[in-house]
Amino acid sequence: MVVGRCILVTTKCFRVTVRTYWSPVGSAFSVPQSKQFDIFDKNVGLFRVPELSTPAGFQITQDRALRDAEELVKKACSTPPGPETVRIFDQLSDCLCQVADLADFVKIAHPDPAFREAAEEACLSIGTIVEKLNTNVELCQILRQLLNDESCLNLLDAETRRVAELFMFDFEISGIHLDEEKRKKALDLNVKLLQLNNQFLAGCHLPNKIERRVLPVHVCHSFAQDGDYILVSGLNADNPDEVVREIAYRIFLYPNAEQMRCLDELLACRNQLAQLVGYTSYGHRALQGTLARKPETVMEFLKKLSDKLSNRTAKDFNMMKGMKMKLNPRKPDLMPWDHPYYSGILRAERYNIEPSLYSPFFSLGSCMEGLNMLFSQLWGISLYAEQPKKGEVWSPDIRKLAVVHEKEGLLGYIYCDFFYRSNKPNQDCHFTIRGGRLKENGEYQVPLVVLMLGLPNPTRNSPTLLTPGMMENLFHEMGHAMHSMLGRTRYQHVTGTRCPTDFAEVPSILMEYFANDYRVVSQFARHYQTGQPLPKSMISRLCESKKVCAATDMQLQVFYSVLDQAYHAMHPLGKSTTEILKETQRNFYGLPYIQNTAWQLRFSHLVGYGAKYYSYLMSRAVATMVWKQCFMKNPFDRIMGERYRREMLGHGGGKEPMLMVKGMLQKCPTTEDFVDALVLDLDPDFESFFMDS
């Protein structure tokens, strides 16, 4: 039984007193969620937005946001240029984002189709309005007056000036400088892209089907069935039966003509828009303001990384081939469907890594308590469970966490959508529902975020037990959440994770290093039945096992990143997307292309990470450098934790990313530094090796 304790928090920055019943975070995740409201309680609406007690409420919130936006546009146009101009622009952004961001989550995660459909319509409607505002000449002129007037600029602090420049950049990439006819064309292209993005994303996850009679009988049970058809909805990469893996690969990746047309149109539309507004390619447009800044730098980074990985990658593939020859001598050639399977076999064999041996030590409750202890030591932050109100959440198993600082009080809320349910997207991700900002009355609008995972549900006899991979993913997503909580900017336009993509992944990847450090893991990893701590030797083996075949895993990410760059280079591309895939796979991966497959049609990251998929690698390079220089010696170092918050997390997107990295590392890293950080991180940790020995 969990007993809530009343905690009184008087917050200095909000000037309000918050009284609520909070309970310890570990206990909240150790037992099934209990409902503490009845049918007579008032429905407060999703995320406590009263109108969202029904799907029809999206239309109400959407209409209100549009009315408020109209008033704010009038206010912006009638206000003399100055700091107030930027605050009004941010209010305008906030009133639209509060609907769009919430709807963007609901349209994929809500179990009720009516809610999903209403949210989808709201996303398209608000997205269209945003694009229209980005081509509003009068609104742009107000901002331009501010940025062109030296006396006005002197009134802006660094953060306010950057936000103003970011708003101007939004105008420019939307074609504000064009004549009326071309502006309308740019607007039409942006609206069309919204639709194409949604269409392509939906097609990425659709299963392919094949008549059951054409497949070997013994493999049919490995797939879902629909009458006389077999449905293949994934690659089945971990299946020990090579026939199953090969069938899944060939069928799931079989080209779909409609999806191919959608991708071709999407890429052409992006290129047309980029060139219309003055860029050489979509890649040049997308990389403005990032760590890399331009596609040429990205390709330099990827090519140098690929060159330095080549010997290690060849060695990894040879190990996999040797293992395959040992287990399946009749088919010794290594194929694309073999990489995930045999790398896993090698890790398990070399280090005796069996997930079932680890899971009893990683109950969800203990992992959450471990995160709580880590955040407390680094930043003075505690996580408390709070009972949601009726109608506040979209599924009864959602946990709501209050994030509380020891001096600053309530920082925000995290809604934890952690458990598997049918029709829930199979992806681990972080969603901003509401950004933080300083409101007009002096109070701070605390951020709301959702973390979505796909963990197994607890049972009557056992809490939710995590595999090591699930535990690492939990830490990764909580890294995003802490960025949202600690990125407390005055402007929601740059709050938390609203920053360049190749910087946004740094906090989450850095958390993976904490998740793989035995000093951190030993703080919370206890057997859920006996309380026995996880032996250090097991933690050591787990950490070192991740170095096995890590070069080929990284090479695969290089391949995806180069492919993404190729698709968003100058058009016309000169070849089909499949021909480009085949050529890129040959030059940057090492395993053969399989005829009549089109992996790019399942590359969902082309939507949210178009021209920026390299961000995972560059962010990992930065995170590696931060870990080794600042936290490897002592992962609980409060001084370093506060420095990390001050130099990186606290700015959100309100400061240039390279300046944040420089502030943390006390130097400006080069492309070679990024490459060396990634490659050197693949080397075995000899301290762990000797400890295990």
Side-chain angles (χ1 to χ4, degrees):
M1 180 178 179
V2 180
V3 180
R5 51 197 176 108
C6 187
I7 299 176
L8 176 65
V9 179
T10 304
T11 65
K12 295 181 180 179
C13 51
F14 313 144
R15 299 177 185 173
V16 295
T17 299
V18 179
R19 293 174 185 269
T20 185
Y21 280 95
W22 284 328
S23 58
V25 67
S27 302
F29 287 90
S30 297
V31 295
Q33 179 93 316
S34 60
K35 295 182 181 179
Q36 296 185 7
F37 47 80
D38 59 38
I39 59 173
F40 299 107
D41 288 340
K42 180 182 177 182
N43 188 320
V44 299
L46 284 172
F47 299 103
R48 299 200 182 192
V49 178
E51 294 82 0
L52 296 185
S53 58
T54 67
F58 271 107
Q59 188 64 51
I60 298 171
T61 59
Q62 176 184 318
D63 291 343
R64 183 175 63 229
L66 297 183
R67 287 194 302 272
D68 291 346
E70 288 177 6
E71 291 302 313
L72 287 166
V73 168
K74 292 177 184 176
K75 186 176 180 182
C77 293
S78 62
T79 300
E84 182 64 17
T85 304
V86 183
R87 284 192 285 270
I88 295 170
F89 268 72
D90 193 65
Q91 276 183 269
L92 175 58
S93 174
D94 184 56
C95 85
L96 295 172
C97 284
Q98 284 206 40
V99 178
D101 289 342
L102 192 156
D104 202 40
F105 168 73
V106 172
K107 75 178 183 181
I108 69 165
H110 203 290
D112 185 342
F115 266 101
R116 294 200 301 269
E117 184 177 336
E120 177 81 45
E121 292 173 1
C123 280
L124 287 173
S125 177
I126 296 293
T128 301
I129 294 300
V130 169
E131 297 305 337
K132 286 182 178 178
L133 288 172
N134 284 340
T135 54
N136 184 312
V137 176
E138 186 179 7
L139 202 57
C140 178
Q141 286 175 342
I142 295 298
L143 194 61
R144 185 172 282 126
Q145 287 176 28
L146 171 65
L147 292 172
N148 289 342
D149 188 327
E150 196 66 34
S151 61
C152 289
L153 274 181
N154 291 335
L155 299 174
L156 309 184
D157 58 52
E159 183 183 37
T160 303
R161 181 168 180 167
R162 175 165 170 81
V163 171
E165 290 170 346
L166 289 172
F167 278 124
M168 179 55 71
F169 175 66
D170 289 340
F171 281 119
E172 290 171 349
I173 64 172
S174 297
I176 196 69
H177 53 289
L178 304 174
D179 60 40
E180 186 175 353
E181 182 182 348
K182 289 182 178 178
R183 279 201 310 275
K184 184 180 183 306
K185 187 176 181 181
L187 173 61
D188 292 342
L189 286 170
N190 272 311
V191 173
K192 185 178 181 181
L193 279 171
L194 289 173
Q195 298 166 342
L196 288 170
N197 284 337
N198 287 335
Q199 183 182 340
F200 182 77
L201 202 55
C204 285
H205 304 293
L206 288 176
N208 277 342
K209 66 180 181 179
I210 188 171
E211 288 186 81
R212 189 193 321 172
R213 63 182 178 80
V214 304
L215 297 182
V217 175
H218 79 278
V219 306
C220 292
H221 72 277
S222 298
F223 305 101
Q225 301 188 27
D226 181 16
D228 293 331
Y229 289 89
I230 295 294
L231 298 180
V232 181
S233 55
L235 294 176
N236 290 40
D238 295 327
N239 196 297
D241 189 335
E242 181 170 357
V243 177
V244 172
R245 296 198 308 276
E246 180 177 354
I247 287 173
Y249 190 95
R250 291 182 180 276
I251 295 175
F252 187 63
L253 299 184
Y254 190 81
N256 176 288
E258 181 59 26
Q259 183 77 340
M260 188 76 78
R261 183 207 61 77
C262 180
L263 176 58
D264 289 342
E265 194 172 357
L266 173 64
L267 296 177
C269 193
R270 284 177 173 176
N271 179 74
Q272 191 178 357
L273 176 62
Q275 294 190 338
L276 180 64
V277 300
Y279 291 93
T280 305
S281 69
Y282 182 80
H284 287 86
R285 178 181 184 265
L287 296 182
Q288 288 288 305
T290 62
L291 273 171
R293 293 184 176 273
K294 55 185 180 179
E296 292 80 5
T297 304
V298 173
M299 285 307 299
E300 179 192 7
F301 166 64
L302 294 173
K303 287 177 179 178
K304 286 184 176 180
L305 178 57
S306 186
D307 288 343
K308 287 210 170 183
L309 285 173
S310 60
N311 290 337
R312 296 168 185 259
T313 300
K315 183 179 178 182
D316 285 356
F317 279 139
N318 284 335
M319 284 196 302
M320 289 184 214
K321 190 172 182 179
M323 178 59 70
K324 184 174 183 181
M325 193 173 292
K326 177 181 174 183
L327 298 180
N328 190 4
R330 289 184 298 176
K331 285 188 173 183
D333 291 337
L334 205 62
M335 305 303 287
W337 49 81
D338 292 327
H339 177 168
Y341 178 72
Y342 284 106
S343 61
I345 290 291
L346 285 165
R347 291 184 189 107
E349 181 185 71
R350 182 169 297 185
Y351 288 99
N352 190 25
I353 303 301
E354 170 53 50
S356 63
L357 298 176
Y358 286 85
S359 293
F361 295 91
F362 293 143
S363 70
L364 179 56
S366 68
C367 291
M368 292 302 296
E369 201 55 62
L371 284 162
N372 192 37
M373 288 187 288
L374 178 62
F375 297 157
S376 176
Q377 292 176 81
L378 288 177
W379 302 304
I381 284 175
S382 297
L383 306 175
Y384 295 102
E386 180 178 314
Q387 183 70 25
K389 298 290 186 182
K390 181 180 179 181
E392 184 178 354
V393 295
W394 51 101
S395 180
D397 58 2
I398 307 300
R399 309 300 204 270
K400 181 182 179 183
L401 299 182
V403 182
V404 183
H405 190 271
E406 60 191 10
K407 294 181 180 177
E408 299 167 31
L410 180 67
L411 299 183
Y413 289 102
I414 303 170
Y415 290 84
C416 300
D417 188 354
F418 281 178
F419 302 105
Y420 169 84
R421 61 177 178 272
S422 59
N423 298 321
K424 178 180 176 180
N426 183 26
Q427 58 190 63
D428 297 344
C429 45
H430 162 279
F431 295 87
T432 297
I433 303 301
R434 184 179 74 194
R437 72 181 183 98
L438 188 63
K439 296 196 290 187
E440 296 66 47
N441 62 4
E443 294 182 3
Y444 198 82
Q445 174 177 290
V446 297
L448 309 179
V449 304
V450 173
L451 295 189
M452 189 162 71
L453 303 174
L455 304 179
N457 286 279
T459 67
R460 294 177 62 183
N461 301 319
S462 168
T464 293
L465 302 178
L466 278 58
T467 64
M470 291 175 182
M471 184 270 284
E472 184 178 282
N473 287 349
L474 171 63
F475 272 64
H476 178 103
E477 298 304 334
M478 284 298 290
H480 284 309
M482 287 301 105
H483 197 183
S484 291
M485 297 297 114
L486 293 171
R488 294 174 71 75
T489 57
R490 277 173 293 165
Y491 304 102
Q492 75 84 37
H493 194 63
V494 292
T495 185
T497 57
R498 297 199 206 280
C499 59
T501 310
D502 54 8
F503 182 80
E505 293 295 330
V506 173
S508 54
I509 293 173
L510 181 61
M511 283 300 298
E512 295 177 18
Y513 285 91
F514 287 96
N516 286 290
D517 187 281
Y518 75 89
R519 293 163 295 181
V520 175
V521 177
S522 63
Q523 295 263 313
F524 65 87
R526 298 285 187 277
H527 197 286
Y528 79 100
Q529 291 175 318
T530 66
Q532 174 191 355
L534 181 62
K536 286 186 177 180
S537 61
M538 287 182 67
I539 301 174
S540 170
R541 290 202 306 273
L542 176 62
C543 295
E544 285 309 294
S545 72
K546 294 176 183 179
K547 304 287 179 74
V548 177
C549 298
T552 49
D553 294 342
M554 189 174 290
Q555 188 68 55
L556 185 60
Q557 293 302 306
V558 171
F559 161 43
Y560 295 159
S561 300
V562 173
L563 183 67
D564 175 41
Q565 290 299 306
Y567 286 163
H568 293 101
M570 189 186 302
H571 283 226
L573 295 175
K575 300 176 182 177
S576 71
T577 57
T578 301
E579 288 171 325
I580 293 171
L581 169 76
K582 185 176 181 179
E583 182 179 308
T584 308
Q585 185 165 336
R586 181 176 64 249
N587 294 333
F588 288 94
Y589 186 27
L591 296 184
Y593 166 77
I594 303 301
Q595 290 297 326
N596 295 317
T597 63
W599 178 85
Q600 75 274 20
L601 302 184
R602 301 293 185 176
F603 195 6
S604 59
H605 282 82
L606 286 174
V607 173
Y609 282 72
K612 294 183 282 191
Y613 189 81
Y614 76 92
S615 296
Y616 288 107
L617 288 168
M618 193 163 280
S619 289
R620 180 166 294 281
V622 175
T624 300
M625 297 166 81
V626 171
W627 170 258
K628 289 187 175 178
Q629 185 173 317
C630 305
F631 292 107
M632 189 165 71
K633 185 176 180 181
N634 176 10
F636 309 110
D637 190 331
R638 179 66 177 266
I639 293 175
M640 279 298 175
E642 293 295 347
R643 177 170 149 191
Y644 177 43
R645 179 184 182 183
R646 183 177 64 253
E647 297 292 348
M648 295 183 80
L649 296 178
H651 297 288
K655 192 174 181 179
E656 284 193 30
M658 189 56 82
L659 292 178
M660 291 189 274
V661 174
K662 183 179 179 181
M664 190 68 195
L665 298 177
Q666 299 297 297
K667 74 169 189 174
C668 191
T670 64
T671 300
E672 288 76 11
D673 290 331
F674 289 146
V675 170
D676 289 343
L678 288 171
V679 175
L680 291 175
D681 197 46
L682 299 174
D683 290 335
D685 182 343
F686 288 104
E687 179 184 349
S688 296
F689 175 80
F690 287 123
M691 182 183 71
D692 187 30
S693 300

